[in-house]
Structures are given as structure tokens and as C-alpha cells.
Amino acid sequence: MTTESTAQFRSFAGGLEMAQLGFFLLALCAGNFSIAVSQAALGLTLLCGLVRWATFRQGVVPTGMERVTLALVGWAVLMIPFSADPGQSLVFAKRFFLFTALWLGAGLATSEHRRRLMLGAVMLGASGISLISAWQVQRQMGTLFGDRLAHVSNAMTSGAMLMLVVLLALGILLNKSTGARARIVVGAALLPMALALAMTMTRSALLGLVVGVAAMLLVAHRRWFLGFAVAVVFLLAGVALFGEDVLSARAWSRLDPDNLFAGRNTVTRIEMWRVGWNMVQAEPLTGVGDCDLNAVAPQYYGEHEPVPFGHLHSNFVHLAVIWGIPGFILAMIFLGQQPRLLWRRWRKSFGHRNAPAPWHAGWTLGALGMWAGFFVAGLTEWYFGDAEPMLMSMAILGVALGRLDAKSEKTDSGEPHA
């Protein structure tokens, strides 16, 4: 190969990688306001990645999630013929396309500069839509908490998306090696997102936020954990005692203890889970299939009043129902492998103030919090099957599990990036 052709070869490879990075940044930015744009951008990112791998053998980074993901996807595919609706299960298998965000993020997060760009893309989309949505609610209703905020598809999905990004941002702030300038910028972008998250009034997301913060404090600031726990207890006690007097009627209806324990949403979910347990008992090995449960569930109602639903408002119940006990176990291994890998990376590489790659450290800590929040929020929501939070969670995990830098990047002055 001549010098000129070698230069052209390298130029094409570099241009393709930059295009792939651009599409991935677009997917991250659009995640909080358009699932259509984010999935299209993810598809283009994947296409560029496949060309890079086929042509140059570039862009593939092992994350430690390969075997368990292959096992889960393999089981799901094997169960399609046993589904109550095989055709629909085949269509629903497209959900695994979102998993590619994990490896695409890991393959593209090759430097501190890129991790900073990726964080900027995520927070630009999330903070921008939060500001716009809050302004629209205030303009239409004259108050920020007159009704639940929804800017993706519904308040629950919006709450989950904002929870993931807020926890990522808090991971950057709680990371000991994050620079002062970065803290100011991230902290400023965090404020509208935190407000919008509260405005969604999504209890699962708020609970996930609390647990995610607690997890990050246990990992990075154990001395702060007790103070945080005490503050949460006092806050909950204050809401229970004085919430009706200080909160809007809509917000109080979401946090009223009587409604929490015996309200319509709680009673309906318990009924869903009862029916789900009946379905698992009937089909413990194969499950009923990854399909809309509206047509399947009625035969399992028994003598109870029918409750129409297409899913079961719980990751764990729904996974066991659609893929059986073996599929549930594989899904739990898939979810459980994630914090194990993140914790191992944090403990070995980033668990000290002078970590060599502060942005990578922040992403890793944020991903740990994000995982805890996603896991807990999934107790009462089907977020595993919700495209928007699954894409974002896989992308955050992938960037955190990207290849470690050999050494920290330097600025022109020789100082580490802030």
C-alpha cells in the first residue's frame, strides 16, 4: 500500500469514527425528548460501527456483559415459538436492539474528552427539555405542580429518564476527583432537571433517586450516608405531617400515605401481580411469551374483577411472566452483573481523590447510582420494556465500562482536564 493510499485509508477510518461519534451524541441528546430521533441515531451509530468493524476491525470493546447478554437474548429467541402470540413476540424482540448502546458507548468512550462530550450531550437534552417543559406548565396552569409533567410519552417514562440523568450528574458531583469548574457547570445543568423530575410526581423514580444517591454515598462518601439517611427520614416525616398544608392538591394526592398504601394505583398493581403469579404458575418454564398481555391475562383473573393491562407494572413480575423462571433468572444475572463490573472498576481504578481520569470516574460512580435507581424503580414499573429508559441506561453503562485510559489526558498547559 502506497503512502497516499495509506493516508486515504486512515482518513476514511477517522471520518467514519467521527460520524459514529456524532450519531451517538445525537442519540444521547435526543433521549429525553424524542425516542424516534434517539433510536434512529442509535441505528446510524450501529451501522457505522458495523462498517468500522468489518473494514478496519475497530470499535469493539469487551465489557464483561457479553456472555450473560447472549444467554438472555438466546433464551428469549428460543421462547418465541412457545409464545401465546409468536408473531408479536418476534416483533417485540426488537427491544434487544437497544442493548447495542452498551457496546457502542464502550467503543466510543475512548478518552476523557469524549466522555465530557457525551455528558454534555446527555445533559443538554435533559436540561433543555426540562426548562421548556417547566415553562410550558407554568404558563398553562399558573403553577409548577398543578399536574404531572410529561415530556417524553407519559409522566412515568419522563420521571425514569430524568432520574437516570440526574443520578449520572450527581455521580460527577460526588466523584472526589471532579474539578471545581466541572462541578459548577454540571451543578447548574442539574437544577432544572431536578425540578422537572419532582414535577413528574413519579414515585418510583423519586424512590429510585433516593436509593441511587444512597448507593453512591456508600461507595464514595460513607461518612455522609448516615446524614443523608437521617435527612430522608425527617423529610418523609415532614411530608406525612405537613404535606397536605404545603403541597399542591395534585402533589399531595401522590404522596398521601393513605393513597400510597390503599389507593387505586396500589390496589391495581397488587391485582396485576397476583394475576402475574398465576401466569407464572401456569407456565413456569416457557412463560406466556413476550407479547401484549391484554389478550392473555383475562383467563388468569379467576373470580376477581378484570383489570385490563398490557404489562404488569413491575420488571421482575413481568420478566417471569413472559420468559418463565429460567428467563427471569437470566434477566436477574444480566442486571446483577452490571453493578459487579462497575464496583470492581471503581474499587480498582477510581476510589481515591486523585483518580487519573476524573470524567471516567464520575461516569462510573454515576452509573452505579443509575443502576440502583433503575433496579428499585423497576419494582413497580415495567422500565425494562420501556424503550426510552432502557436505551439511556444501556448507554450510560456502556460509557462507564469503556476501556480504561492508559494515563490521564493533559491540556496544553500540562494540567489535567477539569
Side-chain angles (χ1 to χ4, degrees):
M1 184 178 291
T2 66
T3 302
E4 182 179 355
S5 57
T6 300
Q8 291 176 344
F9 183 83
R10 291 178 177 175
S11 176
F12 176 67
L16 186 60
E17 183 178 5
M18 289 300 100
Q20 186 187 20
L21 176 62
F23 289 131
F24 188 69
L25 293 174
L26 177 58
L28 292 175
C29 184
N32 270 273
F33 59 83
S34 173
I35 187 59
V37 173
S38 59
Q39 288 203 43
L42 181 66
L44 291 171
T45 308
L46 177 60
L47 178 61
C48 291
L50 292 173
V51 174
R52 285 184 65 203
W53 180 83
T55 307
F56 310 110
R57 294 297 187 269
Q58 294 178 349
V60 177
V61 173
T63 64
M65 291 292 299
E66 288 75 28
R67 291 182 180 179
V68 65
T69 304
L70 182 61
L72 175 61
V73 174
W75 179 262
V77 171
L78 286 174
M79 293 302 101
I80 289 177
F82 303 98
S83 171
D85 189 339
Q88 192 173 62
S89 293
L90 182 62
V91 173
F92 279 12
K94 67 183 181 181
R95 72 171 76 255
F96 296 117
F97 159 65
L98 304 175
F99 286 21
T100 63
L102 193 161
W103 288 276
L104 293 171
L108 288 168
T110 57
S111 67
E112 286 286 86
H113 173 66
R114 289 192 177 184
R115 295 182 195 102
R116 189 166 63 247
L117 284 177
M118 291 171 181
L119 181 70
V122 171
M123 299 194 70
L124 176 63
S127 60
I129 194 63
S130 295
L131 286 169
I132 293 171
S133 299
W135 174 75
Q136 289 177 336
V137 170
Q138 176 65 37
R139 182 183 179 187
Q140 294 170 3
M141 307 194 67
T143 176
L144 292 174
F145 292 92
D147 200 359
R148 300 180 67 188
L149 180 147
H151 62 232
V152 178
S153 58
N154 56 57
M156 290 179 292
T157 299
S158 298
M161 293 294 294
L162 288 167
M163 175 195 71
L164 299 177
V165 182
V166 166
L167 285 169
L168 173 61
L170 287 172
I172 301 295
L173 295 180
L174 290 172
N175 173 46
K176 295 177 182 178
S177 60
T178 299
R181 184 173 58 185
R183 293 179 190 276
I184 293 172
V185 174
V186 173
L190 177 62
L191 294 177
M193 295 188 299
L195 173 63
L197 174 57
M199 290 173 62
T200 67
M201 304 183 205
T202 300
R203 292 169 296 197
S204 60
L206 294 173
L207 178 61
L209 175 68
V210 171
V211 174
V213 172
M216 290 189 289
L217 291 178
L218 279 173
V219 168
H221 300 278
R222 294 183 181 178
R223 294 180 180 179
W224 297 3
F225 175 77
L226 181 59
F228 176 75
V230 171
V232 169
V233 170
F234 274 100
L235 178 62
L236 292 176
V239 169
L241 293 173
F242 309 109
E244 189 172 9
D245 299 323
V246 300
L247 297 175
S248 70
R250 190 71 171 94
W252 174 244
S253 71
R254 301 290 298 167
L255 299 176
D256 180 0
D258 292 336
N259 189 40
L260 280 173
F261 294 106
R264 181 179 62 86
N265 286 343
T266 301
V267 172
T268 301
R269 277 171 168 75
I270 292 174
E271 175 63 11
M272 288 179 179
W273 301 337
R274 182 195 67 80
V275 174
W277 173 238
N278 291 342
M279 297 167 82
V280 172
Q281 288 180 301
E283 301 288 351
L285 180 61
T286 64
V288 302
D290 188 7
C291 56
D292 189 338
L293 299 183
N294 270 313
V296 181
Q299 61 184 299
Y300 299 93
Y301 287 150
E303 299 178 353
H304 292 249
E305 181 180 353
V307 181
F309 49 83
H311 63 80
L312 296 169
H313 275 285
S314 171
N315 283 345
F316 309 102
V317 177
H318 196 96
L319 287 166
V321 165
I322 64 174
W323 289 327
I325 299 300
F328 171 80
I329 293 172
L330 288 172
M332 292 305 101
I333 296 173
F334 172 82
L335 291 173
Q337 178 78 333
Q338 297 170 24
R340 189 183 76 83
L341 294 170
L342 292 167
W343 164 244
R344 185 172 64 184
R345 171 155 296 186
W346 173 266
R347 181 172 53 85
K348 289 184 177 181
S349 304
F350 302 130
H352 50 87
R353 184 173 296 276
N354 297 316
W359 290 102
H360 200 168
W363 272 91
T364 303
L365 183 60
L368 274 165
M370 177 276 299
W371 176 88
F374 184 88
F375 189 88
V376 170
L379 291 170
T380 58
E381 301 294 345
W382 175 227
Y383 287 142
F384 193 96
D386 207 347
E388 294 92 341
M390 272 304 289
L391 192 160
M392 185 62 70
S393 64
M394 289 293 97
I396 292 174
L397 178 66
V399 175
L401 292 178
R403 186 174 286 124
L404 290 168
D405 292 348
K407 58 182 179 179
S408 61
E409 290 190 344
K410 303 290 184 178
T411 62
D412 294 337
S413 64
E415 296 296 324
H417 285 293

